[in-house]
Amino acid sequence: MTARTPSSRIRRAVTPLALCAGLTVGLTACAADPDEGTNGVGKLSAPEIEGKARSAADTAKAVRLAGSLVSKGDTFKLNMRLKQDGATGSVTTKNSTFELLRVGEALYLKADAGFWAHDDAQDGDTPTESDAEAADKLDDMYVKVPQGDPSYKQLRGFTDMGLLLDGLIGLHGEKVKGDRDQIGGIRTVRVKGGEGGEGGALDVALDGTPYPLRFARGGGAGVVVLSEWNQDFPLSAPSKEETLDYGKQLPRT
């Protein structure tokens, strides 16, 4: 029986470790490039990624926007399909849900009777029987919003693709590159305003065109998902039978 020297025992112990180390190095060297097969945006700096996302959104012709926004203490849940010349979808507030349809500059509001009856209730008044009857006539009808009505500008804002996207994509503070993720099966890279995202956080597509796919507003002021980029959809004014036009001002039931 041949006695092994201490040095041979050391070699026998170290050799597997060396092989493992070599294997680890080999696997690391052969690891897949995280940007392989992507649009390459992930290699850019944070400000450049934000710029690419903004450019992609500016040239898009249509998008779906769904999520919540907090403004002046009020929370709005939006589910809107938007394009340059109009939009269609719904808005939900604390007390009600209504639909909006804009074709060009013509804006229509559709809601149930409860929405119209509640209009006066917000002022502390209890709707009368005649109020309820008037609200019933407006139930599920498209009411044309006159451009001179005070609510036109506010409601139109929910249907303005350019206005909404400009307000959502902009980050505040120093731009910081964040983690990789997936949204709807699409690989993304995150850009944050500030290290903790206090100035907002934007997830940008790494597959295909670098569209913004999700935006979280700073301070917990809402999260929206952006999808169906450049997917056109039909827009047409409602029929006369479905429409009520009160002229210069919305009805006050």
Side-chain angles (χ1 to χ4, degrees), residues 135-180:
D136 285 341
K137 294 179 181 179
L138 301 173
D139 183 50
D140 282 337
M141 295 289 287
Y142 284 98
V143 177
K144 189 171 185 180
V145 183
Q147 294 189 32
D149 191 277
S151 62
Y152 178 87
K153 184 176 180 180
Q154 180 184 8
L155 293 173
R156 191 190 187 286
F158 291 121
T159 71
D160 191 317
M161 179 176 171
L163 183 66
L164 285 174
L165 293 180
D166 283 346
L168 290 175
I169 296 176
L171 298 170
H172 302 287
E174 182 182 359
K175 311 301 186 297
V176 180
K177 190 187 295 188
D179 297 333
R180 307 274 180 121

Side-chain angles (χ1 to χ4, degrees), residues 198-223:
E198 57 274 11
L202 184 67
D203 292 281
V204 181
L206 290 174
D207 297 325
T209 305
Y211 289 121
L213 299 185
R214 180 170 58 196
F215 182 75
R217 300 180 76 191
V223 178

Side-chain angles (χ1 to χ4, degrees), residues 220-237:
V223 178
V224 296
V225 174
L226 303 157
S227 61
E228 300 179 27
W229 285 100
N230 263 349
Q231 294 184 25
D232 197 14
F233 57 94
L235 270 181
S236 59

